[in-house]
Structures are given as structure tokens and as C-alpha cells.
Amino acid sequence: PSCFAFSHYRLMESFDPHSLFFFTFLHEQKPACPPALCASKSDGDEVVQQKAFSVGTLVEFEEKKRIHVGKITASEHKSNGGARYSVEDHDGNKFDIPDKAVHYAMSITPDNERKVASLFDEFAVALEEDPSDLRNDLDISPELLQMAWEEAIEDEESSNEITAKSLIELIHAHTASALEAYKAWRLLRTDAAHVFFKEIKSNGRVVAFKAKTAKAVENAKRAFCTKAENADEELCFV
């Protein structure tokens, strides 16, 4: 619903006296937009403020086509309601970025607050890992990735989708740590994983992965394995 309320008294000219109760009812309607999410413009219109990540959140973000990891040190909303962040990367460089530049966000839970410095270090290392490192760290082989696809394609209740966290839970039967979830998210975005899954986005960010049909997987695997650089990939022998 839009943030709107009748307030122009000239509307009374269109009503006869018997409609006064109806007009009073309209005039007293409250804006549907919660005050915490609305910002007033100078012309009287109201703007819905975008939900922002909290200060302290660790993020993977893009700046001038370069990918960084950093920590949000401040956030604000512009007049149009869009969120912007001040972010400091692992090397101490500072950036001012819009919300759309954030690819992935790792919220700091109370359990992680005391070890946020070491988590930030590990987050920075994970960004630089290649697909084989991610597979080894997570102990997820191409064969297990295919098994996850087979489970997802049969699970209509989840709309045939998986997330980074559900991948860890499915394969290793435990709740993913913050770092495992990030590495699984990166693994699911590799070319090998795209043989089985396509990315699902929300607000421009990849949040889930939908299992492809068996025919699509067959075609994608053939295309992947015919590339010279993938000739030795384990996936091509599964």
C-alpha cells in the first residue's frame, strides 16, 4: 500500500452534507507506511526507506569492478530512501558504497562478536580461494554437488531451491557456520555448480539456487566438459 492520506479540505465541495461522516473517515486515515520506514520529501511525499544492514556487518562488495570484503562502519539513507554504507576493507581502505554494491552480507551474531577480528581475516582469505580450495575446505566433491541437485530436483516443497546454508545441512548434517555459509555461497556460484543450479536473486543479490531440469543439466555438463580448461575437472568423470 502507498503512504497516502486524504487531507485536502476542498474535497468537501464534492460531497453533500450527508457525506460529512464519510469525508471525516477519509481525512482521519493514517499513512499506511510505518514512520520508521518513511522519510518525508520537501514536496510532502513520503519515501519508503530501504532496509539497511547494521553497522559491524561483514560484506563482500563491488567497487569499480573490483571485489572486496569489508566491514560496515556507518550507514545512512539518502533522500530517495536508498541505503548507503561507509565500509572499511581488510587492508584498511575506506569506501562509500550504495546498497546495490553489496553482493553478500555476513551478520555478526553474539557468538561471533568476540572473534570478529579472526572471522574478518578468514573472510578475506575465503574471497581469494579458487573453486578447488572451496571444495576441499567444505569437503564437497562434484559428486556430492550432484547429489544435492538430485535432492533439490525432487523437493517440490522448497520450489527445487537450495541456499548456501541448506547445502551444508544437506551434505554434512549440521548447521553452517558463518564462514561455511559464505564459502558454500561462493562454491554455488562457480561454473561447475552452474551445471546443476541457476542463481535466484532478490534486490539484485544472489540469495538462492534453483535446480535445473535433467535435460538442462545434461546440456550444461556437456558444454562445460568440452572446454579445454575443464578437461581434467572431476565433474566430467562423475
Side-chain angles (χ1 to χ4, degrees), residues 54-70:
S54 59
V55 171
T57 299
L58 300 181
V59 293
E60 179 192 294
F61 67 97
E62 184 172 351
E63 177 267 340
K64 295 180 179 178
K65 297 185 178 180
R66 295 187 295 255
I67 307 300
H68 309 258
V69 294

Side-chain angles (χ1 to χ4, degrees), residues 11-31:
L11 284 173
M12 289 190 69
E13 296 175 2
S14 63
F15 294 91
D16 62 37
H18 297 291
S19 301
L20 182 58
F21 172 77
F22 178 68
F23 171 75
T24 302
F25 170 77
L26 290 176
H27 176 67
E28 291 180 350
Q29 296 306 295
K30 302 298 183 183

Side-chain angles (χ1 to χ4, degrees), residues 117-130:
S118 62
L119 185 60
F120 197 4
D121 291 340
E122 293 172 320
F123 192 26
V125 171
L127 174 67
E128 304 298 332
E129 291 189 343
D130 62 27

Side-chain angles (χ1 to χ4, degrees), residues 1-5 29-35 37-38 45-49:
S2 60
C3 300
F4 186 86
Q29 296 306 295
K30 302 298 183 183
C33 183
L37 296 179
C38 291
D45 292 336
E46 289 180 323
V47 176
V48 177
Q49 289 188 342

Side-chain angles (χ1 to χ4, degrees), residues 23-198:
F23 171 75
T24 302
F25 170 77
L26 290 176
H27 176 67
E28 291 180 350
Q29 296 306 295
K30 302 298 183 183
C33 183
L37 296 179
C38 291
S40 297
K41 282 187 174 181
S42 57
D43 62 3
D45 292 336
E46 289 180 323
V47 176
V48 177
Q49 289 188 342
Q50 182 178 32
K51 184 177 180 180
F53 297 115
S54 59
V55 171
T57 299
L58 300 181
V59 293
E60 179 192 294
F61 67 97
E62 184 172 351
E63 177 267 340
K64 295 180 179 178
K65 297 185 178 180
R66 295 187 295 255
I67 307 300
H68 309 258
V69 294
K71 182 193 299 184
I72 294 176
T73 58
S75 67
E76 63 176 343
H77 286 91
K78 297 300 184 181
S79 59
N80 64 0
R84 291 191 69 87
Y85 308 103
S86 295
V87 180
E88 183 173 327
D89 74 7
H90 193 254
D91 296 322
N93 301 306
K94 295 178 172 59
F95 303 89
D96 180 43
I97 62 170
D99 182 85
K100 66 181 180 181
V102 176
H103 292 172
Y104 185 93
M106 182 190 295
S107 299
I108 302 302
T109 64
D111 290 339
N112 288 331
E113 283 181 354
R114 288 181 293 181
K115 54 182 181 180
V116 66
S118 62
L119 185 60
F120 197 4
D121 291 340
E122 293 172 320
F123 192 26
V125 171
L127 174 67
E128 304 298 332
E129 291 189 343
D130 62 27
S132 61
D133 291 331
L134 293 170
R135 288 196 298 266
N136 290 335
D137 287 353
L138 295 169
D139 194 19
I140 298 178
S141 65
E143 187 174 5
L144 288 173
L145 199 59
Q146 180 169 320
M147 184 204 74
W149 166 73
E150 292 169 350
E151 291 285 338
I153 201 69
E154 295 176 0
D155 188 2
E156 295 182 357
E157 290 186 5
S158 67
S159 301
N160 309 119
E161 294 177 8
I162 64 169
T163 64
K165 290 181 178 180
S166 68
L167 176 67
I168 298 296
E169 186 171 355
L170 174 64
I171 292 178
H172 295 307
H174 69 251
T175 301
S177 68
L179 192 63
E180 281 179 318
Y182 175 61
K183 289 183 178 184
W185 178 82
R186 289 201 61 229
L187 179 64
L188 285 165
R189 300 196 68 199
T190 61
D191 290 343
H194 284 166
V195 168
F196 302 105
F197 300 98
K198 59 183 178 181

